[in-house]
Amino acid sequence: MATVIVHATITLDGFLAKQDGGVDWMFGRPSAPEDGAVVETVMSRIGAVVGGANKTQTIEDGEIPYGGMLKVPVYLMTHSAHEPIERDGITYNFVVDDINEAVRLAKQAAGDGWVSLLGGTISRQCLRLGLVDELHLHVAPVLLGDGISLFAGLGRHIELERLDTSAFASEAHLRYRVLR
Protein backbone atom coordinates (compact mmCIF):
# COMPACT_ATOMS: atom_id res chain seq x y z
CA MET A 1 0.00 0.00 0.00
CA ALA A 2 1.36 3.40 -0.98
CA THR A 3 2.36 6.04 1.56
CA VAL A 4 1.20 9.61 0.84
CA ILE A 5 3.82 12.21 1.73
CA VAL A 6 4.18 15.96 1.71
CA HIS A 7 7.71 16.40 0.36
CA ALA A 8 9.08 19.95 0.38
CA THR A 9 12.08 22.14 0.89
CA ILE A 10 11.03 25.09 3.02
CA THR A 11 12.57 28.06 4.78
CA LEU A 12 12.84 28.13 8.55
CA ASP A 13 9.74 30.38 8.59
CA GLY A 14 7.78 27.82 6.54
CA PHE A 15 7.79 29.23 3.02
CA LEU A 16 8.05 27.15 -0.17
CA ALA A 17 8.89 30.12 -2.36
CA LYS A 18 9.11 33.88 -2.50
CA GLN A 19 5.88 35.79 -3.12
CA ASP A 20 6.64 35.78 -6.88
CA GLY A 21 7.27 32.02 -6.82
CA GLY A 22 11.06 32.35 -6.87
CA VAL A 23 13.11 29.61 -5.22
CA ASP A 24 16.61 30.97 -5.75
CA TRP A 25 17.13 30.83 -1.97
CA MET A 26 17.30 27.01 -2.26
CA PHE A 27 20.49 26.97 -4.28
CA GLY A 28 24.14 27.65 -3.57
CA ARG A 29 24.12 26.42 0.01
CA PRO A 30 26.81 24.12 1.33
CA SER A 31 25.91 20.44 1.31
CA ALA A 32 27.41 17.20 2.46
CA PRO A 33 27.10 13.75 0.89
CA GLU A 34 24.71 12.85 3.72
CA ASP A 35 22.31 15.62 2.60
CA GLY A 36 22.22 14.12 -0.87
CA ALA A 37 21.69 10.64 0.56
CA VAL A 38 18.59 11.78 2.47
CA VAL A 39 17.09 13.32 -0.66
CA GLU A 40 18.08 10.33 -2.80
CA THR A 41 16.36 7.94 -0.39
CA VAL A 42 13.12 9.91 -0.69
CA MET A 43 13.41 10.20 -4.47
CA SER A 44 14.03 6.45 -4.86
CA ARG A 45 10.79 5.63 -3.04
CA ILE A 46 8.46 8.02 -4.91
CA GLY A 47 6.20 6.09 -7.27
CA ALA A 48 3.77 8.88 -8.27
CA VAL A 49 3.26 12.62 -7.84
CA VAL A 50 0.16 14.76 -7.25
CA GLY A 51 0.37 18.48 -7.96
CA GLY A 52 -1.52 21.37 -9.49
CA ALA A 53 -1.85 22.05 -13.21
CA ASN A 54 -1.01 25.46 -14.60
CA LYS A 55 -3.76 27.57 -16.16
CA THR A 56 -2.92 26.51 -19.72
CA GLN A 57 -2.63 22.82 -18.75
CA THR A 58 0.71 22.47 -20.44
CA ILE A 59 3.92 20.93 -19.19
CA GLU A 60 6.53 23.67 -19.47
CA ASP A 61 10.16 23.79 -18.46
CA GLY A 62 10.42 24.95 -14.86
CA GLU A 63 7.05 23.39 -14.03
CA ILE A 64 8.03 19.75 -14.34
CA PRO A 65 7.94 18.01 -10.94
CA TYR A 66 11.44 17.17 -9.71
CA GLY A 67 12.86 18.70 -12.88
CA GLY A 68 11.89 15.55 -14.78
CA MET A 69 14.38 13.43 -12.79
CA LEU A 70 11.61 11.09 -11.64
CA LYS A 71 10.02 9.01 -14.39
CA VAL A 72 6.79 8.32 -12.49
CA PRO A 73 3.15 9.10 -13.27
CA VAL A 74 2.07 12.64 -12.38
CA TYR A 75 -1.52 13.53 -11.49
CA LEU A 76 -2.33 17.20 -11.87
CA MET A 77 -5.40 18.84 -10.38
CA THR A 78 -7.36 21.00 -12.80
CA HIS A 79 -10.78 22.60 -13.23
CA SER A 80 -11.37 21.38 -16.79
CA ALA A 81 -10.84 18.06 -18.55
CA HIS A 82 -7.68 17.50 -20.55
CA GLU A 83 -6.21 14.44 -22.23
CA PRO A 84 -3.01 13.02 -20.66
CA ILE A 85 0.26 14.45 -21.92
CA GLU A 86 3.36 12.29 -22.41
CA ARG A 87 6.69 14.09 -22.25
CA ASP A 88 10.20 12.71 -21.81
CA GLY A 89 8.95 9.38 -20.50
CA ILE A 90 6.53 10.88 -17.97
CA THR A 91 2.74 10.70 -18.27
CA TYR A 92 0.87 13.72 -16.93
CA ASN A 93 -2.73 12.89 -16.05
CA PHE A 94 -5.27 15.64 -15.39
CA VAL A 95 -7.88 15.09 -12.67
CA VAL A 96 -10.84 17.47 -12.55
CA ASP A 97 -11.73 18.93 -9.13
CA ASP A 98 -11.38 15.69 -7.14
CA ILE A 99 -8.28 15.52 -4.95
CA ASN A 100 -9.47 12.23 -3.44
CA GLU A 101 -9.55 10.67 -6.91
CA ALA A 102 -6.12 12.08 -7.80
CA VAL A 103 -4.60 10.59 -4.64
CA ARG A 104 -6.41 7.27 -5.19
CA LEU A 105 -5.06 7.01 -8.75
CA ALA A 106 -1.56 8.02 -7.64
CA LYS A 107 -1.59 5.45 -4.83
CA GLN A 108 -2.64 2.77 -7.28
CA ALA A 109 0.19 3.77 -9.64
CA ALA A 110 2.78 3.96 -6.83
CA GLY A 111 2.07 0.43 -5.55
CA ASP A 112 4.19 0.03 -2.39
CA GLY A 113 6.05 3.29 -3.07
CA TRP A 114 5.33 6.83 -2.01
CA VAL A 115 2.96 9.40 -3.46
CA SER A 116 4.56 12.83 -3.27
CA LEU A 117 2.25 15.83 -2.86
CA LEU A 118 3.70 19.01 -4.32
CA GLY A 119 2.73 22.56 -3.42
CA GLY A 120 1.05 24.25 -0.50
CA THR A 121 -2.52 24.16 -1.81
CA ILE A 122 -2.45 20.45 -2.67
CA SER A 123 -0.67 19.57 0.59
CA ARG A 124 -3.12 21.55 2.76
CA GLN A 125 -6.15 20.05 0.99
CA CYS A 126 -4.84 16.54 1.53
CA LEU A 127 -3.95 17.24 5.17
CA ARG A 128 -7.46 18.58 5.81
CA LEU A 129 -8.99 15.46 4.25
CA GLY A 130 -6.81 13.06 6.22
CA LEU A 131 -5.07 11.73 3.10
CA VAL A 132 -1.47 12.40 4.23
CA ASP A 133 0.58 9.72 5.99
CA GLU A 134 3.92 11.53 6.44
CA LEU A 135 5.69 14.89 6.12
CA HIS A 136 9.22 14.95 4.65
CA LEU A 137 10.65 18.44 5.05
CA HIS A 138 14.08 19.79 4.17
CA VAL A 139 14.46 23.05 6.13
CA ALA A 140 16.91 25.62 4.75
CA PRO A 141 18.57 28.07 7.15
CA VAL A 142 16.95 31.20 5.75
CA LEU A 143 14.04 33.45 6.76
CA LEU A 144 12.11 34.98 3.86
CA GLY A 145 9.68 36.90 6.05
CA ASP A 146 6.99 36.57 3.39
CA GLY A 147 6.20 34.23 0.54
CA ILE A 148 4.17 31.18 -0.38
CA SER A 149 3.55 29.20 2.79
CA LEU A 150 3.33 25.45 3.04
CA PHE A 151 0.92 25.36 5.98
CA ALA A 152 -0.68 28.83 6.38
CA GLY A 153 -4.44 28.56 6.20
CA LEU A 154 -4.51 24.85 7.06
CA GLY A 155 -7.27 25.63 9.55
CA ARG A 156 -6.94 22.32 11.36
CA HIS A 157 -5.00 20.95 14.31
CA ILE A 158 -2.89 17.95 13.30
CA GLU A 159 -0.66 15.97 15.64
CA LEU A 160 2.59 14.51 14.32
CA GLU A 161 5.00 11.84 15.49
CA ARG A 162 8.69 12.39 14.76
CA LEU A 163 10.12 9.51 12.73
CA ASP A 164 13.53 10.89 11.86
CA THR A 165 15.60 14.05 12.02
CA SER A 166 19.05 14.74 10.68
CA ALA A 167 21.18 17.75 9.84
CA PHE A 168 24.43 17.92 7.98
CA ALA A 169 26.05 20.83 6.13
CA SER A 170 23.14 23.21 5.79
CA GLU A 171 19.60 21.80 5.83
CA ALA A 172 17.73 20.04 8.59
CA HIS A 173 15.82 16.99 7.33
CA LEU A 174 12.60 16.23 9.21
CA ARG A 175 10.27 13.27 8.83
CA TYR A 176 6.96 13.01 10.70
CA ARG A 177 4.03 10.60 10.70
CA VAL A 178 0.57 12.18 10.68
CA LEU A 179 -1.39 10.87 13.66
CA ARG A 180 -5.05 10.10 13.10
Side-chain angles (χ1 to χ4, degrees), residues 96-177:
V96 179
D97 295 329
D98 189 346
I99 192 75
N100 284 298
E101 179 66 1
V103 171
R104 185 189 73 74
L105 291 169
K107 285 175 76 171
Q108 186 176 28
D112 290 334
W114 291 347
V115 172
S116 178
L117 304 175
L118 297 181
T121 301
I122 298 296
S123 296
R124 287 188 300 273
Q125 286 177 13
C126 290
L127 281 163
R128 278 187 216 111
L129 292 169
L131 300 175
V132 177
D133 299 306
E134 296 182 6
L135 305 179
H136 294 243
L137 305 174
H138 310 288
V139 183
V142 62
L143 300 169
L144 290 182
D146 191 19
I148 299 171
S149 174
L150 179 56
F151 298 117
L154 179 61
R156 182 169 173 221
H157 179 101
I158 296 175
E159 290 288 332
L160 306 171
E161 173 189 7
R162 184 180 59 82
L163 296 175
D164 190 33
T165 58
S166 59
F168 303 103
S170 181
E171 293 180 346
H173 308 283
L174 312 172
R175 183 175 169 211
Y176 296 96
R177 176 180 296 126

Side-chain angles (χ1 to χ4, degrees), residues 3-7 46-51 66 70 114-118:
T3 299
V4 178
I5 68 170
V6 172
H7 182 225
I46 294 173
V49 173
V50 175
Y66 295 100
L70 289 178
W114 291 347
V115 172
S116 178
L117 304 175
L118 297 181

Side-chain angles (χ1 to χ4, degrees), residues 21 23 27 54 58-68 87 92 118:
V23 293
F27 305 106
N54 66 21
T58 59
I59 308 304
E60 300 169 7
D61 290 336
E63 296 179 349
I64 298 171
Y66 295 100
R87 179 174 174 186
Y92 298 88
L118 297 181

Side-chain angles (χ1 to χ4, degrees), residues 53-54 57 76-82 94-98 125:
N54 66 21
Q57 294 181 312
L76 299 171
M77 294 304 305
T78 184
H79 296 297
S80 58
H82 193 288
F94 296 87
V95 180
V96 179
D97 295 329
D98 189 346
Q125 286 177 13

